[in-house]
Amino acid sequence: MAARVLRVVRCLDAHGKVVSLSAHALGRGSANLQGLLRWAYSTVRPDMGAETVTVSFLEEPDGQLQLEYLVLDDAPLRWARLRRRSARRRQAEIQAALARASIIVTSLVEAAGALAAATCAQWADGDSPDFVDVVLDGTRALRLPRAVHAALDDDAVLDLLRGTLTLFVANGIDRLVIGTDPDRPGHYREAVVGRSPVLLRFLQGGRLTPAAGAPGVAEGA
């Protein structure tokens, strides 16, 4: 039994042309992205048990990357009479958890790029306990999963994020474009992360600026 979510990624240079990544960059990015997805999935489904989270990359001829997020469920179903019903319910729960985890990962990457490009951030609690709002430079507003805000103060998660975005360092990438829900007409959207001095310093171990802060607190560079 498996759950599946797709993402498409384009890596663009300063002229908007697609850049093909090196095998080293793909390998390192894949390993760290898998760790990042596993972390996000565990925040959504802490009792994941026998579920295995994996990520695969497929590079298209035009250089675009197709990402496949998978959860493989190895848990045995012990009651034959309820097996079919239990399997359907469990698969629906796993698919929903993977969808939420993929949103957390994309939101974290998008937030890193936005914070790195901003000089001031104002955080506030959202109207849902699962989300926080951040206003960047007094104009641009983002609504983020609360798990993303917590991750910005988690060194282990930030290291996984650095490894995922390491392609900005060695491959001449100017913009990373992440397309969500490519297989659902009418639901497709893109998140864009741009190269910036602050982002490059973050990838070398520095902090994102402005810092994560707490909801209700404004932070500047």
Side-chain angles (χ1 to χ4, degrees):
M1 187 193 311
R4 178 174 177 260
V5 169
L6 295 179
R7 293 287 184 264
V8 291
V9 174
R10 299 195 311 278
C11 301
L12 306 179
D13 65 15
H15 304 289
K17 295 181 179 179
V18 175
V19 177
S20 183
L21 300 181
S22 67
H24 175 74
L26 280 175
R28 182 179 176 189
S30 176
N32 283 277
L33 179 58
Q34 184 165 294
L36 204 59
L37 182 64
R38 187 178 295 117
W39 158 78
Y41 189 80
S42 70
T43 68
V44 175
R45 192 170 168 84
D47 56 344
M48 57 189 291
E51 296 148 34
T52 303
V53 179
T54 67
V55 174
S56 66
F57 282 82
L58 176 63
E59 187 169 15
E60 303 288 351
D62 61 0
Q64 178 174 274
L65 295 174
Q66 180 172 293
L67 272 62
E68 186 177 53
Y69 297 164
L70 287 174
V71 175
L72 306 176
D73 183 17
D74 298 323
L77 293 173
R78 296 183 176 88
W79 299 279
R81 189 175 56 170
L82 300 177
R83 182 172 295 171
R84 185 172 301 173
R85 183 183 302 173
S86 297
R88 284 198 300 264
R89 182 173 64 249
R90 183 175 174 86
Q91 184 160 14
E93 291 171 352
I94 292 173
Q95 182 67 50
L98 180 60
R100 288 179 60 192
S102 66
I103 291 171
I104 291 172
V105 170
T106 301
S107 298
L108 178 57
V109 172
E110 186 176 17
L115 288 169
T119 58
C120 179
Q122 173 70 50
W123 295 85
D125 288 318
D127 54 13
S128 165
D130 295 327
F131 292 90
V132 296
D133 296 325
V134 58
V135 178
L136 304 169
D137 296 333
T139 56
R140 182 185 177 192
L142 288 177
R143 170 156 291 192
L144 300 170
R146 190 170 292 274
V148 169
H149 184 267
L152 293 171
D153 287 321
D154 187 319
D155 289 340
V157 176
L158 291 179
D159 281 344
L160 291 171
L161 178 60
R162 289 185 181 99
T164 300
L165 296 178
T166 189
L167 53 91
F168 274 106
V169 176
N171 290 267
I173 306 299
D174 187 70
R175 280 174 293 149
L176 180 70
V177 182
I178 305 169
T180 63
D181 295 316
D183 55 345
R184 297 178 63 200
H187 292 81
Y188 181 81
R189 66 175 293 268
E190 291 184 341
V192 181
V193 179
R195 186 185 185 96
S196 70
V198 172
L199 183 62
L200 294 178
R201 286 198 297 271
F202 167 70
L203 297 181
Q204 297 299 327
R207 291 182 63 197
L208 285 169
T209 303
V217 177
E219 304 230 1

